[in-house]
Amino acid sequence: MAIRSFFLFILFFSSSLSPVFSLYEDQVGLMDWHQQYIGKVKQAVFSSQRAGRKRVVVSTEENVIASLDLRHGEIFWRHLLGADDVIDGIDIGLGKYVITLSSGGSILRSWNLPDGQMVWESSLQGPKHSKSFLLVPTNLKFDKDNVLVVFSNGRLHAISCIDGEVLWKKDFEAESFEVQQVIQPPGSDLIYVVGFAASYQFEMYQINAKNGELLKHESASFSSGFSGEVSLVSTETVVALDSTGSILLTISFQDGKISSQQTPISNLVEESLGPAVIIPSSVSGIFAIKTDAVTVFIRVIGEGKLEVVEKTTHEIAVSDALSISEDQEAFALIQHASSEIHLTVKLAHDWDGNLLKESVKMDRQRGLVHKVFINNYIRTDRSYGFRVLIVMEDHSLLLLQQGEIVWSREDGLASIIDVTTSELPVERNGVSVAKVEHNLFEWLKGHMLKLKGTLMLASPEDMAAIQSMRLKSSEKSKMTRDHNGFRKLLIVLTRAGKLFALHTGDGRIVWSHLLRSLHKSEACQSPIGLNLYQWQVPHHHAMDENPSVLVVSRCGPSSDAPGVLSFVDTYTGKELSSLSLDHAVVQVIPLPYTDSTEQRLHLLINADKHAHLYPKTSEALSIFKREFLNIYWYSVEDQNGIIKGHALKCKCTGEVADEFCFDTRDLWSVVFPSESEKIVATVTRKLNEVVHTQAKVVADQDVMYKYISRNLLFVATVAPKGSGEIGSVTPEESWLVAYLIDTVTGRILHRVTHHGLQGPVHAVFSENWVVYHYFNLRAHRYEMSVIEIYDQSRADNKDVWKLVLGKHNLTSPISLFSRPEVITKSQSYFFTHSLKAIAVTSTAKGITSKQLLLGTIGDQVLALDKRFLDPRRTVNPTQAEKEEGIIPLTDSLPIIPQSYVTHALRVEGLRGIITVPAKLESTTLVFAHGVDLFFTQLAPSRTYDSLTEDFSYALLLITIVALVAAIFVTWRLSERKELQEKWSFYSAFASQSTFSSLFLCDN
Amino acid sequence: MKWVKVIVSFILTLSFLSFPSCAFQSDELLVDDEEFGLEGAPQHRSPEPIPTRSPPVTSPTRKRHSDLDSDSKIQFSLDHAFGDSDFSPAGTFSARLKTWSHGGQTLTKLRFSRNSFSDVEKEKFKNLLESDDFYRIRLPSNVLSPPGRDFIISSVKARCLPRESLDEHFVIHMEGVNVLAVNYGSPGSCPYPRNLKLPAKWSFSSHTVLKNSEQAPRAPVFTEEILGGENAEGEVVQPAERSFWAKYWMYLIPLGLIVMNAITQAMNMPEEQATGQVPAQGQPSAGAVQRGPSSAVRRR
């Protein structure tokens, strides 16, 4: 019995140690999560099919077209078009095809509505660049075939809806003609193309929709000119604004005759408003103009007469018109009122009557309503019901129906700008115990189930229960810090200026905050979020202080626009404070110093190369003064091809005395010849990377010392000709130069030229090595190179006696002003994929071996062991080298299908991969973001320091119990045997002693 | 005394394992140092400017010796600055411009003549040494049409330079006729707590190195046969090279320990036999235990 259980024990251990390279099927979702998004919706079309599931087709600013379930907001299907394939318009044709026009109107595609399969694609060329329009007339038939009307690139096309065949085309080649609207009045065979020529002439073309024949061309000139867009108020009337934005022009072209009327805005609205713009909308009879403060709705009555119907100072959003019956059009209007939004649905010809009026409570963190899309349905009482899809300022998408939010999607997460992490609160006493007691029965039940599973007694239902229990384990989604450091908050800044905190356990949104400082305001017209930095990470005061992050943003797209700083508490998501700076922010340098409250010192460099210290406290200043002479940084001017090194000089010698402002000076510069080199990539080591040891033991018990400097910069330059697309140059005129530059002294430590190579270059720098990826024009393949740099000045420290007697220079401080003695080793390997991103795993102590994480073109993340990119690989490694772990040299890097971190999933539109060390040394947390989000845990050398998740504690318990039982049984057995033996011995001894006494007696 | 041998061999193996061998063969690719000029500068002790000093930016003086010789002489100036002062001329580099048949131009035979410090400059340099400030130099980024697009600046803490004289070391990274970067500093180390030390001689000993870019090795291209065939063969050859000791040390050491243990026990045993008879008597009685059952049977 004891032997058997011991055997079981051994068997168990051997099985737990056997290598597991990848995930098992039932492990999917245990440690990883995947979220799908689409981005900010630009246009939405509701599927009007009577039967089947209700759906809405949307196009987004992330170039996604998606079909969403109207009931739940889930994605039926979605396609991500390329980054330069911007969607111009979508519509539904014949009730079953989704038609998309993209790439500036040059690609027209048709997708099958139910499953998203592409039906056809046609490419539309034209004489010149222009606005593009996509029209799907319902009644325009051409040989039983519905016709699409597309205006793009200065050409009007009629295209078959079935196969994408171009039926006819008509060019509008007039040099100055700018198309403004393409109109197809329902029930007629005419198409009107209206636009401006030479900015003061109104042009109207009437075209036969059957064959593209030009029927009429009229023009009229307006001396005041035009500005902005035109609004279509009926099929034969448009409204435009003159160039000053103060006079409304009502232009009608009934029966091909142009007639117009001019109405100054001041006639309609008493007070002067300043220049106005027309809000594009397609509601017949009504249009809206907007000035800085007011939005005015104006109705067109009869022959160019205008009448103001409403004037509002609230933020307002209007939907397009929706025809609900033969002659009735409805549209939706959304107005903001503090914490609510008011939705009104009106008929186009009846402003005062409301079809629907609802108020919906709206989270303030969603900001303003940007877009409204209206759809109708038939209620159970046969009346018309309306639902609206709204797009908010934070890019989220909501469906409103019956005064409620039916569903919402946080699509702001599709456009992440920057990511940082924060620890969760420390677990306080009393919280956990109560929770366990509360769930004691559940806990017991769970363990019984698990035990059953282990002993293979579980039924399929039990197995399913076990699996769901594992997936929903409350342990991983707790809001407290865990021992292994797996639970963290991912703080994410999106393009909409919203900050999200995602829990690493299950990816849920813990809090979200639309930054006030990133809100459009008088002072800051178009704020742009730039970066996130960890501002305060309390270690000593972890119990009573919350960590905070710094959000750096600026007002406007140019780099000299003034910056804005905001500080956000990462536990609560509250904006602690925000600072509007009077200077620009070109560079932010987190310094490796913290003050007594553990706020990190940051140096902000402005456009005039002044350095500003934050936080602005005297304590920070005194810390900073101590390290004043040891602060160096560099700047890269990639347009000029110059890299410069800087140091601090003295206090600002400006007009205002500012203690926290410092002048800087240039210490070094590297000027790349503009005719032969262009900077394409610059990479440094991560600031928080930990290196376990400088020494690297190589074969034959030899030691090499890694050159580990935080101040190394990898720069890749290519020939200016070769910076275009792959294949645009011959191998002879293209090259790539890789540099390793010390950023304190500007020394070039390594410089190597690769001929016949081309970018784009993706690189990653870690410890003492850099790996970069590029295209080899000669071999017609992608390639990856590695450079490792070793310190030779410490290479003499190999003698043990020297180390024992202290005659070594290992503890002497390193000065970068010394002449460096380094050697580099490099090697190149072919690689199959092109890359979108590259990263490297990072662990808490840097002991675990590294893996490269490659974001492939297929939007997956591939883990590649760094050992494959070892420059010391040779064709026939010696035995010693093999023992060290050197893989025999191959010309290309292997792609092992099991090593895809994302397993079967895809992170659509992958943009970045972030690795964060967990507290457990073997494990690193990986977050990949693009349009989708993906998070997982990785153990590059497997989890050598903890038991795996599938470790069977029950079996261990049983084994122990069995062993203890066996001990008792054998003890009893042996005791009994011993007793028997003692008896027999006694008897034997007794007999022997009688013998011996006899013997003695004999003697 | 076999156990002594074992212990010795054990210690030996331990020492072999822990002491790294000292034979390190560097596989460093030697840099193609075109020229290693070493010029002390005591030739011009006078603070008077040398002829080439006159313009702050020297225009290249090309001298075509003959049409056959495509080399031409070229000069460019080195400027220096003390701390944040303005740049002033400090010396002249002269080199031969070699024009290759394929159109490329490179510099060879770089020579450097350094102006010695004037009294004012000495004073300034002393100030730099005292305040541990930067001594900065600059070069034109194009040697044919200086200053090219911008000046190449490099700087070093002034306290790194003084030794016996003022020792400096230039590494000029070139790309054709363009200067990419210059690494400037002391030829040796500059240990961190930089001590204030005035040079014994106020003259420069300059080392200059001209560096061009290295060519990267091409990625190795293997054909399939080599990959498939070679592996098996390589593995057959390798084990033969290992010595008996290298192969079985992990078995031999425990074996040695066991043997040692046995020997010590064996050595102890005679002693015990010599000292006491009583335990020796125990032996047969232990033997009696084994015979116990039979006697038990007999007892019945």
Side-chain angles (χ1 to χ4, degrees), chain A residues 63 65 79-82 84-87 89-91 93 97-103 106-112 117-124 134 148 150 159-161 164:
Chain A
N63 300 339
I65 48 166
H79 293 288
L80 179 69
L81 306 186
D84 47 358
D85 201 5
V86 179
I87 302 167
I90 58 166
D91 213 330
Y97 299 121
V98 178
I99 314 289
T100 63
L101 184 67
S102 61
S103 275
S106 56
I107 299 174
L108 189 71
R109 293 190 183 94
S110 166
W111 316 82
N112 195 12
Q117 298 284 328
M118 188 157 81
V119 184
W120 50 258
E121 179 185 83
S122 53
S123 150
L124 309 176
L134 169 68
L148 309 174
V150 177
I159 292 158
S160 156
C161 193

Side-chain angles (χ1 to χ4, degrees), chain A residues 191-211:
Chain A
I191 297 171
Y192 293 103
V193 177
V194 297
F196 306 141
S199 80
Y200 58 86
Q201 193 135 339
F202 181 82
E203 305 257 343
M204 188 277 293
Y205 296 87
Q206 194 182 46
I207 286 155
N208 186 347
K210 294 274 178 210
N211 50 20

Side-chain angles (χ1 to χ4, degrees), chain B residues 49-64:
Chain B
I50 356 166
T52 49
R53 192 175 163 175
S54 45
V57 179
T58 11
S59 57
T61 53
R62 287 155 164 253
K63 286 178 200 162
R64 295 213 170 268

